[in-house]
Amino acid sequence: MKTLRLSTLAVLVHLATASFAAAPVAGLDRPGFDPAVRAQDDLFHAANGGWMKTTEIPADKPEYGSFIQLRDLSDQRARAIVEELAKQQLKPGSVEQKVGAFYATYLDTAAIDKAGLAPIKPALAEIDAIKTPKELATWLGKVQGRIETPVQLWVMADFKNPTMNQALTWQGGLGLPDRDYYLKKEEERFVKARAAYETYLTTLATLAGLKDPSDAAKRVMAIEYRIAEAHWDKVENRNPVKIYNPMTVTELAKAAPGLDWATFLQAAHLGQVERLSVSQPSAATAIAKLYGEVPLADWKLYFKLHSLDDAAPVLPQAFRDARFAFRGTALTGAKEQKPRWQQGITEVNGALGEAVGQLYVAKHFPPEYKARMQELVGNLLASYKESIDGLAWMTPATKAQAQDKLSKYMTKIGYPDQWRDYSKLEVRSGDALGNAQRSSRFEWDRIAAKAGKKVDRAEWGMTPQTVNAYYNPSLNEIVFPAAILQPPFFDMAADDAVNYGAIGAVIGHEISHGFDDQGSQFDGEGVLRNWWTDDDRKAFEAVGSKLVAQYESYEPLPGKHLNGKLTLGENIADLSGLQIAYKAYQRSLKGQPAPVIEGYTGTQRFFLGWSQAWREKVREERAMQLLTTDPHSPPEFRANGAAVNHDGFHEAFGTKVGDKMFKAPEDRIRIW
């Protein structure tokens, strides 16, 4: 089912996508190297070329690499836990029973097929029953958290007062991945995606028995084109100052007529809210206007088809196949659906993630892992502190503010200290769609209840079994779930050089998000404010512009260059994280020379460890989707793009003029 996400900044700044074979003693996958490629010419393919040549992307995946392999491992471990629960006779209403019943019901496709359209008919009937704009506003509020509406609601820390939670709006409502899929009419890849989407909508309408399915699809597409025209682009949404627009509900209703905002908020359990932040004011105004202009009959078609799309994974086979043909094959290039068990793990993680996570860490996250990570984080923070002191382009006044912010970082490793309470979530055996709907509403009610209350700093934004990491600017925290603390990122048996090049750079990456183009606008308390001198900010932006130009020179697909402004924050974090991890590795040696292992020096192993962590192959359709929507650069350019600016890389491999990775010292980009 659909999980709502806001912008990268609005919820979390996270690490993202990228693979790995069994590691030898030093932590390096030597069989995955390509001896025909020199690191001096292409670090990524030198460390990963052998693997790239011999590995096929599995048919059920749009991409395959380090992150995907670890996610598969995490899913397999969660599966063992969940299937054991599903077999047991557990106390009715216990969280263990809910996990097992939710998963077993999702897997019972025979029962889902037999039920036909009966489970979705009440939801469609609710839409049919809407007769007035006020009733539409009520329905929109009731489905928050379950269906992505054109104006979404969320609750998170107030950018200006991060100790308190604030409600906010966010643009949404598109069935295709981004506004560009609608607005860039000449891009051939987008033309194909739009055609596939219209076919999918027509199929949904046909399967649901709607009148004139082709016409219904066209009417829905027409609405989405108008929504897309109102949407802000991804670069605009990265600016925290632009997306922070507090106003009263009365002011919002005046600025954006066409939607009954008070009724909408009341139905979403946010009736007590007097002020909220309108993240994209012009989009909110335009979409509210659409609610008033577009015939109610068209809106009903729109929401019926979106409801069917959202529910398709727990509707009969024809719906599941149609959804995969579009969201799987057309958009990502995947050839087969993920195994049903793996889809089920994704769903149970979304519904009862911390319940599964509590069992996961008991089996797969020994205390010594956390202790080792705390040591690594300590070294990274100490190295960052020294690096700030040594900055030539920053004045003492701004350095003092940066040091203050760094000193207030909060680190979360492995799992939360307090586990989420699922006692009020109802799970019914044999009701897959109902379970999904109730879990979505349960989660939304939890989020809505936070509005106007103090921020819970102990809360986690990811489950322990999630293979990822993030920085949250409002809490000034870095978070590393248990599942990412495994090879090739972190290996208790591996050489320190490889660990620092992999998980050390990941840690450095997340620390650096507090000082990228977005995070640097928040102070040590998480307050959105300018703590820089004007000259320092100009100097920082000048360096950033060089990084934008570097990455915009990369062409991952023919005719499709990277968006350097969209990826700037992640590129800064990659570059700075690698630089800080290198300093931390040198610090860990305590003045002693690193041993040569398997013919590689310590610094060479560091950069090879960094590169193999980003190992990945991706299908063209998925690559296009990521290039349009993802603030991260493709893994190849993450590996090479950061290393080419690193003095340590050039020293380790002795690059010289003529080498493809050579970059003159005076041209190397150095930030933190």
Side-chain angles (χ1 to χ4, degrees):
M1 304 298 288
K2 191 169 292 180
T3 302
L4 297 185
R5 290 288 182 267
L6 303 184
S7 73
T8 313
L9 176 69
V11 185
L12 314 164
V13 182
H14 60 273
L15 185 66
T17 57
S19 143
F20 195 46
V25 175
L28 294 177
D29 177 29
R30 292 287 294 275
F33 290 7
D34 186 346
V37 179
R38 302 166 63 244
Q40 296 91 332
D41 293 321
D42 187 337
L43 176 64
F44 178 81
H45 283 93
N48 302 306
W51 179 89
M52 299 281 286
K53 291 175 182 177
T54 59
T55 301
E56 294 292 331
I57 302 174
D60 66 327
K61 292 178 170 55
E63 69 233 288
Y64 195 58
S66 300
F67 276 88
I68 306 305
Q69 286 180 314
L70 279 190
R71 286 169 186 166
D72 283 351
L73 175 61
S74 178
D75 285 350
Q76 289 159 4
R77 289 173 168 176
R79 179 189 188 184
I81 293 167
V82 172
E83 289 189 346
E84 183 62 31
L85 294 177
K87 294 176 186 175
Q88 297 177 26
Q89 292 293 325
L90 298 165
K91 180 182 177 182
S94 67
V95 70
E96 293 85 1
Q97 183 270 331
K98 291 177 181 180
V99 169
F102 191 105
Y103 178 75
T105 298
Y106 186 89
L107 260 59
D108 192 354
T109 53
I112 290 171
D113 291 343
K114 184 178 180 180
L117 284 173
I120 193 69
K121 282 185 176 179
L124 299 180
E126 277 190 16
I127 297 171
D128 270 331
I130 298 170
K131 304 298 182 186
T132 66
K134 187 178 183 69
E135 290 176 356
L136 176 60
T138 298
W139 184 86
L140 290 168
K142 286 174 62 178
V143 299
Q144 287 301 301
R146 176 159 63 89
I147 296 171
E148 183 180 318
T149 55
V151 176
Q152 302 176 82
L153 298 171
W154 196 255
V155 177
M156 58 176 290
D158 186 328
F159 282 4
K160 293 287 189 178
N161 182 17
T163 63
M164 299 297 293
N165 283 306
Q166 180 186 54
L168 57 87
T169 69
W170 197 266
Q171 64 187 22
L174 300 180
L176 287 162
D178 183 71
R179 69 195 288 267
D180 284 1
Y181 278 73
Y182 300 83
L183 305 183
K184 294 189 175 181
K185 299 186 184 299
E186 304 306 317
E187 168 57 60
E188 182 181 354
R189 299 177 182 95
F190 292 159
V191 172
K192 291 180 179 178
R194 289 195 298 270
Y197 183 42
E198 187 168 336
T199 297
Y200 175 50
L201 292 175
T202 302
T203 302
L204 290 177
T206 302
L207 293 172
L210 302 185
K211 294 179 181 178
D212 200 344
S214 178
D215 178 65
K218 285 179 169 56
R219 288 158 70 183
V220 171
M221 288 290 288
I223 292 175
E224 293 192 28
Y225 273 110
R226 295 182 70 179
I227 294 172
E229 289 171 346
H231 271 207
W232 289 18
D233 67 26
K234 295 288 185 183
V235 175
E236 284 183 294
N237 286 330
R238 295 192 69 255
N239 188 330
V241 174
K242 289 192 71 173
I243 65 172
Y244 182 71
N245 303 285
M247 59 179 70
T248 66
V249 176
T250 301
E251 290 169 337
L252 175 57
K254 184 177 179 180
L259 174 63
D260 187 335
W261 290 94
T263 297
F264 175 43
L265 292 168
Q266 184 69 41
H269 296 176
L270 290 172
Q272 79 281 12
V273 169
E274 296 180 358
R275 292 176 64 84
L276 70 168
S277 181
V278 182
S279 299
Q280 300 91 6
S282 63
T285 297
I287 292 168
K289 186 179 180 182
L290 284 180
Y291 279 128
E293 291 181 351
V294 173
L296 187 57
D298 286 7
W299 277 119
K300 287 184 180 184
L301 284 174
Y302 169 92
F303 286 116
K304 282 182 180 180
L305 294 187
H306 276 255
S307 295
L308 290 164
D309 170 41
D310 181 65
V314 284
L315 291 178
Q317 185 72 46
F319 286 91
R320 302 196 297 271
D321 289 346
R323 192 177 201 273
F324 174 73
F326 170 60
R327 299 210 173 277
T329 302
L331 289 185
T332 74
K335 307 303 181 187
E336 296 176 3
Q337 293 195 53
K338 277 187 178 181
R340 188 69 179 180
W341 73 262
Q342 196 163 20
Q343 296 177 51
I345 291 300
T346 298
E347 296 305 317
V348 79
N349 279 338
L352 294 129
E354 287 197 8
V356 177
Q358 191 169 1
L359 300 170
Y360 180 96
V361 297
K363 287 180 174 287
H364 301 294
F365 193 65
E368 56 266 27
Y369 281 38
K370 188 166 187 173
R372 184 77 179 95
M373 273 293 293
Q374 287 169 332
E375 178 185 345
L376 286 166
V377 171
N379 273 342
L380 266 293
L381 288 170
S383 297
Y384 218 109
K385 185 177 188 302
E386 291 177 359
S387 184
I388 290 172
D389 284 337
L391 291 176
W393 56 269
M394 182 177 279
T395 61
T398 305
K399 283 182 183 179
Q401 293 285 324
Q403 292 287 16
D404 177 73
K405 178 169 185 173
L406 187 69
S407 72
K408 294 174 179 174
Y409 265 50
M410 180 166 65
T411 304
K412 296 176 179 176
I413 298 171
Y415 53 89
D417 294 326
Q418 300 171 5
W419 297 100
R420 197 161 293 171
D421 178 8
Y422 295 99
S423 59
K424 293 183 180 179
L425 172 60
E426 181 185 5
V427 175
R428 299 178 194 168
S429 294
D431 186 12
L433 178 57
N435 289 340
Q437 292 173 336
R438 285 186 294 275
S439 66
S440 295
R441 191 60 182 184
F442 171 82
E443 174 63 8
W444 171 251
D445 288 347
R446 185 188 71 83
I447 291 165
K450 297 191 293 185
K453 296 180 181 177
K454 285 190 174 182
V455 170
D456 179 6
R457 293 184 62 83
E459 185 179 6
W460 278 53
M462 289 179 179
T463 65
Q465 63 272 30
T466 300
V467 181
N468 217 322
Y470 68 87
Y471 170 76
N472 184 334
S474 294
L475 271 64
N476 196 27
E477 66 177 2
I478 48 176
V479 184
F480 305 97
I484 198 173
L485 305 179
Q486 301 173 84
F489 298 103
F490 175 65
D491 186 348
M492 287 290 287
D495 168 48
D496 264 359
V498 178
N499 272 336
Y500 272 96
I503 195 64
V506 169
I507 297 167
H509 174 106
E510 299 306 337
I511 293 172
S512 299
H513 270 310
F515 299 95
D516 68 13
D517 61 317
Q518 288 180 313
S520 63
Q521 298 185 64
F522 294 80
D523 67 14
E525 301 296 336
V527 177
L528 177 63
R529 71 173 181 86
N530 182 17
W531 47 269
W532 297 62
T533 67
D534 290 344
D535 287 344
D536 285 335
R537 175 58 73 175
K538 287 177 183 177
F540 178 70
E541 290 175 350
V543 177
S545 67
K546 294 180 181 179
L547 210 58
V548 168
Q550 175 187 326
Y551 281 83
E552 288 190 340
S553 71
Y554 298 143
E555 189 177 359
L557 291 175
K560 184 69 174 177
H561 287 256
L562 284 182
N563 184 335
K565 292 181 180 178
L566 173 62
T567 59
L568 178 58
E570 298 298 334
N571 294 335
I572 289 174
D574 281 344
L575 174 59
S576 303
L578 186 64
Q579 290 172 333
I580 299 305
Y582 183 79
K583 292 177 181 179
Y585 170 59
Q586 299 296 327
R587 181 187 184 89
S588 75
L589 295 174
K590 299 178 181 178
Q592 299 300 311
V596 174
I597 300 176
E598 298 182 357
Y600 295 100
T601 67
T603 53
Q604 288 173 335
R605 295 195 305 278
F606 172 90
F607 288 103
L608 291 167
W610 156 257
S611 182
Q612 73 179 13
W614 297 113
R615 180 176 295 177
E616 183 180 86
K617 296 182 74 170
V618 61
R619 301 185 192 278
E620 180 175 322
E621 297 89 343
R622 176 62 169 162
M624 188 65 179
Q625 184 181 32
L626 293 172
L627 287 170
T628 306
T629 64
D630 193 357
H632 306 83
S633 298
E636 173 183 351
F637 303 107
R638 297 184 76 168
N640 287 349
V644 76
N645 288 305
H646 201 300
D647 296 336
F649 166 76
H650 295 283
E651 294 168 3
F653 292 99
T655 62
K656 59 184 183 299
V657 176
D659 294 338
K660 293 179 181 177
M661 288 279 290
F662 177 77
K663 193 173 188 178
E666 63 272 18
D667 294 330
R668 295 170 195 166
I669 302 170
R670 305 172 182 87
I671 302 182
W672 294 99

